[in-house]
Amino acid sequence: MAPMLSPWTWPKPAKTPAFKSLRQRVLVVEDELIIGELAAEALTDAGYEVFTAASAEEAAIILRDMSVDILFTDIDLGGQDGFELAQTALSLQPFLSLVFTSGRSRIYHGRCASVGVPFLVKPYRLTELVETVQRASTARSKQ
């Protein structure tokens, strides 16, 4: 006699393939996990599809596997820094927009401004983050 399966043990139906989102995709790279999660939540609430990474190396793996529109990265990540990550990202996805952040504003602000890349000084307000990413997204769509 065959065992009777309860509804809780039935195999789950196959999922239908997910359609690519029409929302802008943002990769948030932040080694301070709480800050990264808060940034990701704010951007998700603003309507972006958000992915997170805690290191440049983890972000590079994501960038090899998935197309993103905007890279929002801390510069001081430990290991590879945000500038090295940006070079890798642009070699993989040349039309990617960049936004940098750091608590060391005096060192990095001028460097970012000289190449026309948005820079957010830490600590930043989440509204500033969303506005900066929106500007980067708008600039990207005009390319």
Side-chain angles (χ1 to χ4, degrees):
M1 182 162 141
M4 211 170 163
L5 297 176
S6 75
W8 292 276
T9 58
W10 289 349
K12 294 181 180 175
K15 290 185 177 181
T16 56
F19 293 99
K20 183 178 183 310
S21 173
L22 297 177
R23 297 183 297 165
Q24 293 278 308
R25 290 177 161 187
V26 179
L27 174 57
V28 174
V29 186
E30 175 61 66
D31 60 340
E32 295 181 48
L33 298 180
I34 293 173
I35 294 172
E37 288 303 315
L38 289 171
E41 186 176 332
L43 291 168
T44 299
D45 290 347
Y48 293 94
E49 186 174 359
V50 181
F51 305 92
T52 59
S55 68
E57 295 78 13
E58 184 182 351
I61 293 168
I62 293 169
L63 289 163
R64 283 186 193 99
D65 294 340
M66 180 179 316
S67 173
V68 297
D69 302 298
I70 299 165
L71 173 64
F72 174 69
T73 184
D74 188 6
I75 295 171
D76 300 309
L77 293 169
Q80 246 189 14
D81 69 21
F83 294 128
E84 293 169 313
L85 171 60
Q87 289 176 335
T88 300
L90 289 171
S91 71
L92 294 168
Q93 300 185 32
F95 298 108
L96 180 74
S97 292
L98 302 171
V99 177
F100 289 112
T101 187
S102 178
R104 300 166 128 194
S105 62
R106 288 184 185 169
I107 296 171
Y108 299 126
H109 188 270
R111 189 170 173 188
C112 291
S114 70
V115 293
V117 176
F119 179 82
L120 273 176
V121 177
K122 283 184 178 179
Y124 51 80
R125 290 190 171 98
L126 295 176
T127 54
E128 290 176 302
L129 165 64
V130 171
E131 289 168 1
T132 303
V133 168
Q134 286 174 340
R135 282 194 303 275
S137 175
T138 303
R140 182 182 189 276
S141 65
K142 291 179 181 179
Q143 292 178 348

